[in-house]
């Protein structure tokens, strides 16, 4: 029998699988995160799963409910809006810092990312594929920027802000606009225009925030008959 992987590796695997399930809406907001049940589902011992759940709580993807244990975090529209307001200039800064550090290999990688995302859009790929492509692009830009403090700050926002992603990517028009915005960011970076790249990145985050806000207004708007009651 092969030896069991180290506990740290198992915890990382459990975290990755649970995080993906949350972002892909396989674990819906409010779903209890029972360590025994998740351990059975993931075919792991409870210790690495417990560590993974604690990391989800730290990242904002789960919350600790008094007397009930952990649960998948619910989306608070006001909190999410506040986070995107702060995220906008920081993503712009990351893109501006990354632009002069971009190598030819980096240019090719960014182009491939955008082209692959366009192909996924045309093929009708599931929301999970779009979420992952979006995450990959922005993470790579932060990696190229090479500012550890900025990366750490943005990564702290990532859990909460990404809770809205599956909803946003389920709208074909919003998906098309987001990919176009990604292309604008990449083209400005490849052109060696730090200011233009920063503006494109900030515009992208701001437009995502506005699209999300409009969806929330639509979702919670009362019917005309109820409004007049």
């Amino acid at each position: 029998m092969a030896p069991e992987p180290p506990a740290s590796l198992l915890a990382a695997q459990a975290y990755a699988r649970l995080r993906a399930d949350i972002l892909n809406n396989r674990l819906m907001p409010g779903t209890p995160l029972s360590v025994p049940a998740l351990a059975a589902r993931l075919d792991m011992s409870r210790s690495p799963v417990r560590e993974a759940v604690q990391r989800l709580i730290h990242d904002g993807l789960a919350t600790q409910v008094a007397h009930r244990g952990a649960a998948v975090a619910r989306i608070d529209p006001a909190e999410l809006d506040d986070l995107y307001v702060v995220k906008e200039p920081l993503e712009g800064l990351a893109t501006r810092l990354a632009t002069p550090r971009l190598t030819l290999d980096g240019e090719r990688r960014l182009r491939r990312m955008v082209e692959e995302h366009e192909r996924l859009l045309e093929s009708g790929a599931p929301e999970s594929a779009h979420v992952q492509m979006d995450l990959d692009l922005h993470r790579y830009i932060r990696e190229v920027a090479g500012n550890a403090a900025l990366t750490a700050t943005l990564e702290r926002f990532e859990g909460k802000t990404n809770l809205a992603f599956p909803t946003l990517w389920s709208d074909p028009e919003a998906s098309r606009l987001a990919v176009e915005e990604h292309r604008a960011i990449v083209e400005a970076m490849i052109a060696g225009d730090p200011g233009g790249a920063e503006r494109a990145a900030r515009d992208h985050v701001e437009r995502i925030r506005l699209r999300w806000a409009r969806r929330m207004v639509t979702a919670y708007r009362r019917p005309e008959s109820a409004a007049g009651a």
Side-chain angles (χ1 to χ4, degrees), residues 110-131:
L110 285 172
R111 277 202 176 100
R112 285 197 302 270
M113 286 181 176
V114 174
E115 289 166 359
E116 175 62 20
H117 205 166
E118 288 173 339
R119 285 193 291 271
L120 288 173
L121 193 63
E122 292 170 3
S123 67
E127 289 86 351
S128 58
H130 295 298
V131 170

Side-chain angles (χ1 to χ4, degrees), residues 1-160:
M1 181 182 294
E4 186 177 74
S8 59
L9 178 57
L10 287 173
Q13 291 172 349
Y15 171 81
R17 290 176 63 180
L18 293 174
R19 186 179 188 281
D21 284 349
I22 291 171
L23 294 181
N24 296 335
N25 278 348
R26 288 191 290 267
L27 287 172
M28 299 294 289
T31 302
L33 295 174
S34 162
V35 170
L38 291 173
R41 173 184 165 193
L42 299 176
D43 193 24
M44 292 182 180
S45 62
R46 295 183 184 185
S47 181
V49 174
R50 186 176 296 109
E51 183 178 335
V53 170
Q54 289 304 310
R55 186 175 169 190
L56 291 172
I57 293 171
H58 178 268
D59 289 352
L61 289 172
T63 55
Q64 190 72 38
V65 182
H67 310 300
R68 295 177 57 190
V72 177
R74 297 182 185 275
I75 299 174
D76 180 331
E79 180 186 6
L80 195 66
D81 190 72
D82 287 347
L83 287 171
Y84 268 109
V85 167
V86 177
K87 180 181 172 72
E88 178 199 319
L90 296 180
E91 290 287 7
L93 175 59
T95 307
R96 177 164 65 82
L97 293 175
T99 299
R101 294 168 57 95
L102 193 63
T103 64
L104 289 175
D105 284 343
E107 291 180 9
R108 286 191 284 267
R109 182 169 174 178
L110 285 172
R111 277 202 176 100
R112 285 197 302 270
M113 286 181 176
V114 174
E115 289 166 359
E116 175 62 20
H117 205 166
E118 288 173 339
R119 285 193 291 271
L120 288 173
L121 193 63
E122 292 170 3
S123 67
E127 289 86 351
S128 58
H130 295 298
V131 170
Q132 192 58 55
M133 289 298 298
D134 185 276
L135 290 172
D136 288 347
L137 179 79
H138 289 288
R139 284 173 180 167
Y140 182 63
I141 290 172
R142 295 199 294 264
E143 178 186 325
V144 174
N147 186 301
L150 180 58
T151 295
T153 302
L154 283 167
E155 285 180 350
R156 282 199 295 272
F157 291 156
E158 198 172 66
K160 279 286 189 182

Side-chain angles (χ1 to χ4, degrees), residues 204-215:
H204 172 53
V205 176
E206 171 67 3
R207 288 168 184 169
I208 287 177
R209 185 180 72 83
L210 293 175
R211 287 196 286 269
W212 167 252
R214 285 197 294 268
R215 288 182 72 87

